[in-house]
Amino acid sequence: MQPFPELENSFSSDGQVIPFRSVYKHVHHTWARTFSCIAEAYVQPESLPEIERIVNLAHKCRKRVVTVGCGHSPSNITCTSNWLVNLDKYNKILSVDDETGIVVMQSGIRLYTLCEELERHGLAMPNLGSINQQSIAGAISTGTHGSSVRHGLMSEDVLSLKITLANGTTQNCSRDINPDLFQAALLSLGSLGIISEITFRAVPAFTLRWKQTIDADIQVFDSWSKDLWTQSEFVRVWWFPYTRRAVVWQAEKTDEEHRDPPVSYYDGSLGYYVYHNLLYLAQFVPRILPWVERFVFGMQYGFANGSTTTAVQPSRKALLMNCLYSQFVNEWAIPLHKGPEALRRLSSWLNQLTPSDPDYVPHNIPFSAKGLYVHAPVEVRVSDTTLTSNARPLLDPTVKDGPTLYLNATLYRPYLRDPPCRERYYQAFEWLMKDMGGKPHWAKNFETYRPEIELMYGGDLDKFRSVRDAADPQGMFLGPWHRDRILAEDSRYDLEEFELRRTKSVKSGITIFGQV
């Protein structure tokens, strides 16, 4: 029996059944199991009338609505005790124009499915992030980017959207139609409504020849302002602070035949479990982490500088990377030219360098690194949203007058256990990023809140709030995450959900309990 009589199947004006496909008391957790919640109803619509009915019923029942895909964002942004809407069954390609590359799709389609469907038409996405598990709507709504100074956010290729608002109606928006709603919806953080349809500009399918090179980090710093980021269309770097080395990955389009990268005995399960268990041991003996990082780096990439790996793969494979384990991620966007200074300062702090060390630079970080040991590389990527001819999202964290550098401090959770270094490491990392004029990536684990975010975004945040409030005046799509970061301090909403309490466990991370 349904918990609410209103949730029985209803009929449209033409007599068609509009079901409410729901599960009662659903346990939801993020991919990394950093947060979880128990949603009163978990709903999986398969049509636009079903989506509109969900919103209308939520309004009638005075419920908050949260849209979720794969849950890859490790924060509590998708946690709710109300209604959780998953669009995995609303995932069809509606039309493809093979000549122009214009694709119309339902918003729940996962990126890996989208790439496979595009390939059948001789098309591809112009750019990808490091993973392809997200739904297209989720990737857009959180500001997903790849690594290329020739590309910006994934949203730069979105031509128009359909979004179901809190009043149950679905509106079209684009650069020319409802432009303010479009600018807000391109990076909405789930706070505007349910994105239901996306018109996207694909490109002819392409193959990438990529090369991965291992070298000392000083070589990366020296080439930073020369050709590091312009030598190929796609470039990304992993920087390892304890080894003082870096992995530089670069890729260019090619017509060559596909050639997968070589596989060593350490790849696969052996390397996965060796590293995982060493990280688990370091939970209890953190001081072994520098040794662990040096050993694992050598086994994975080689112990000598200058080694290279090459391959030729379809773009949908070449641009991806393995996320390995449950993890915290704290990523910030800063001006590209500040990268060497930021990494050198972080290195001086982490390695506790003194003025007598040749690589020392004053870091000025007001937290002690004594007894602190971290793991995992800092992922270093770039984008340039200033090149886009499309509208820029109001909450775009990238630099407005040039290319942007993304620094991502990842911390693994071996066997779902939080690393003891997280609080102090992220406290120092965020302080440094703010000192460099940075803004946080919205989808990640940052602990910077509304007062500072208001200073970062200024009038753009004010405009976003205005558009958001017009689309959802009662706060149907708002929760604790939004309250802490983007809502005005004196704002009040009838349907906004507040956090009641939370509990912590190894299996489920932090479980959020909310109330309306």
Side-chain angles (χ1 to χ4, degrees):
M1 182 176 179
Q2 292 279 15
F4 302 102
E6 295 92 341
L7 305 189
E8 300 295 335
N9 291 343
S10 65
F11 298 88
S12 63
S13 58
D14 59 0
Q16 297 295 313
V17 174
I18 306 177
F20 188 85
R21 307 174 197 272
S22 64
V23 174
Y24 186 55
K25 292 296 183 182
H26 171 80
V27 177
H28 160 71
H29 57 76
T30 60
W31 170 84
R33 294 186 178 270
T34 45
F35 285 92
S36 64
C37 65
I38 302 173
E40 182 179 50
Y42 180 76
V43 197
Q44 290 190 299
E46 297 180 13
S47 68
L48 181 57
E50 289 181 54
I51 293 174
E52 292 175 338
R53 181 171 184 240
I54 289 168
V55 173
N56 283 319
L57 284 174
H59 185 271
K60 185 175 182 179
C61 297
R62 298 187 61 78
K63 298 295 178 180
R64 179 193 174 199
V65 175
V66 177
T67 309
V68 66
C70 68
H72 211 275
S73 296
S75 73
N76 62 321
I77 191 171
T78 57
C79 286
T80 183
S81 62
N82 282 219
W83 290 4
L84 200 61
V85 178
N86 173 266
L87 301 177
D88 281 353
K89 296 182 179 179
Y90 187 70
N91 62 352
K92 294 182 177 62
I93 298 288
L94 301 178
S95 68
V96 180
D97 189 319
D98 294 337
E99 293 185 6
T100 64
I102 304 302
V103 184
V104 181
M105 68 198 82
Q106 293 176 336
S107 59
I109 191 168
R110 297 292 185 95
L111 295 183
Y112 59 83
T113 303
L114 174 59
C115 289
E116 292 169 358
E117 292 292 330
L118 291 177
E119 193 171 59
R120 294 189 180 98
H121 292 269
L123 298 171
M125 298 189 69
N127 193 15
L128 279 171
S130 296
I131 61 169
N132 61 1
Q133 299 298 310
Q134 313 104 308
S135 67
I136 183 67
I140 292 167
S141 297
T142 52
T144 296
H145 62 92
S147 189
S148 173
V149 290
R150 304 184 201 175
H151 299 274
L153 303 181
M154 191 177 293
S155 60
E156 71 180 357
D157 296 298
V158 174
L159 302 181
S160 65
L161 296 169
K162 286 185 179 179
I163 181 168
T164 302
L165 304 180
N167 61 9
T169 66
T170 300
Q171 292 193 19
N172 292 309
C173 60
S174 67
R175 188 175 179 181
D176 301 314
I177 302 171
N178 285 336
D180 290 346
L181 181 63
F182 186 60
Q183 261 194 296
L186 285 177
L187 206 168
S188 67
L189 304 172
S191 69
L192 285 178
I194 300 177
I195 294 175
S196 56
E197 190 176 295
I198 296 168
T199 301
F200 189 86
R201 177 177 52 217
V203 298
F206 59 97
T207 296
L208 290 174
R209 180 183 65 249
W210 61 260
K211 181 174 72 172
Q212 183 171 276
T213 305
I214 316 304
D215 216 332
D217 62 6
I218 189 63
Q219 301 299 322
V220 171
F221 299 150
D222 288 345
S223 63
W224 195 279
S225 60
K226 299 174 184 176
D227 64 348
L228 176 63
W229 301 108
T230 58
Q231 59 187 319
S232 299
E233 181 172 351
F234 301 95
V235 181
R236 61 181 178 228
V237 174
W238 292 273
W239 174 69
F240 294 78
Y242 290 137
T243 66
R244 312 299 300 279
R245 300 166 78 191
V247 178
V248 179
W249 186 95
Q250 60 188 90
E252 282 284 6
K253 294 175 181 175
T254 182
D255 294 326
E256 299 174 38
E257 292 186 4
H258 295 172
R259 185 181 73 254
D260 287 332
V263 178
S264 74
Y265 75 94
Y266 185 76
D267 292 325
S269 296
L270 176 61
Y272 179 92
Y273 286 109
V274 165
Y275 191 27
H276 205 178
N277 284 291
L278 286 173
L279 290 175
Y280 182 76
L281 177 62
Q283 294 281 100
F284 307 98
V285 193
R287 63 178 174 272
I288 72 170
L289 277 173
W291 175 86
V292 168
E293 290 297 292
R294 294 185 188 103
F295 170 75
V296 170
F297 183 96
M299 294 297 293
Q300 184 70 40
Y301 301 109
F303 290 93
N305 288 338
S307 60
T308 62
T309 303
T310 61
V312 179
Q313 294 179 302
S315 61
R316 66 181 179 87
K317 290 185 178 180
L319 293 171
L320 304 180
M321 61 168 286
N322 190 339
C323 285
L324 294 178
Y325 321 112
S326 168
Q327 59 195 246
F328 293 111
V329 283
N330 198 338
E331 184 173 16
W332 285 66
I334 66 174
L336 177 60
H337 69 273
K338 293 186 177 182
E341 178 189 348
L343 293 175
R344 282 178 167 136
R345 289 174 65 181
L346 186 59
S347 177
S348 284
W349 183 74
L350 282 172
N351 290 294
Q352 300 185 62
L353 301 183
T354 64
S356 61
D357 292 303
D359 296 322
Y360 170 81
V361 296
H363 56 74
N364 299 323
I365 296 175
F367 308 102
S368 172
K370 185 177 181 180
L372 182 74
Y373 301 95
V374 305
H375 64 269
V378 174
E379 187 180 18
V380 186
R381 292 180 290 170
V382 292
S383 68
D384 193 345
T385 313
T386 64
L387 301 176
T388 184
S389 59
N390 202 358
R392 294 187 64 176
L394 291 171
L395 296 184
D396 181 357
T398 61
V399 177
K400 290 190 174 184
D401 57 357
T404 297
L405 179 72
Y406 284 94
L407 296 179
N408 182 356
T410 301
L411 285 174
Y412 293 130
R413 303 177 65 239
Y415 298 106
L416 304 181
R417 292 183 178 271
D418 293 354
C421 62
R422 181 173 74 99
E423 183 176 353
R424 194 168 14 139
Y425 179 36
Y426 278 178
Q427 188 179 39
F429 181 73
E430 291 195 28
W431 184 93
L432 176 60
M433 292 299 98
K434 285 181 279 193
D435 194 54
M436 304 298 294
K439 295 178 182 177
H441 189 307
W442 292 107
K444 307 303 171 71
N445 295 105
F446 63 94
E447 299 293 333
T448 295
Y449 297 104
R450 178 181 56 244
E452 291 178 286
I453 289 174
E454 287 176 334
L455 295 176
M456 294 173 184
Y457 283 89
D460 287 339
L461 180 56
D462 292 336
K463 184 176 180 180
F464 179 86
R465 288 168 172 170
S466 177
V467 174
R468 204 225 66 78
D469 287 355
D472 176 26
Q474 290 187 298
M476 178 185 291
F477 300 100
L478 297 177
W481 188 96
H482 303 98
R483 168 59 58 189
D484 289 342
R485 292 164 178 85
I486 64 169
L487 301 183
E489 184 177 8
D490 59 352
S491 60
R492 296 293 180 269
Y493 303 92
D494 291 343
L495 300 182
E496 177 187 351
E497 184 178 19
F498 294 89
E499 183 178 317
L500 178 62
R501 70 183 189 278
R502 58 173 62 186
T503 62
K504 187 175 177 62
S505 67
V506 172
K507 183 177 180 180
S508 301
I510 296 174
T511 302
I512 300 291
F513 298 89
Q515 64 175 2
V516 176

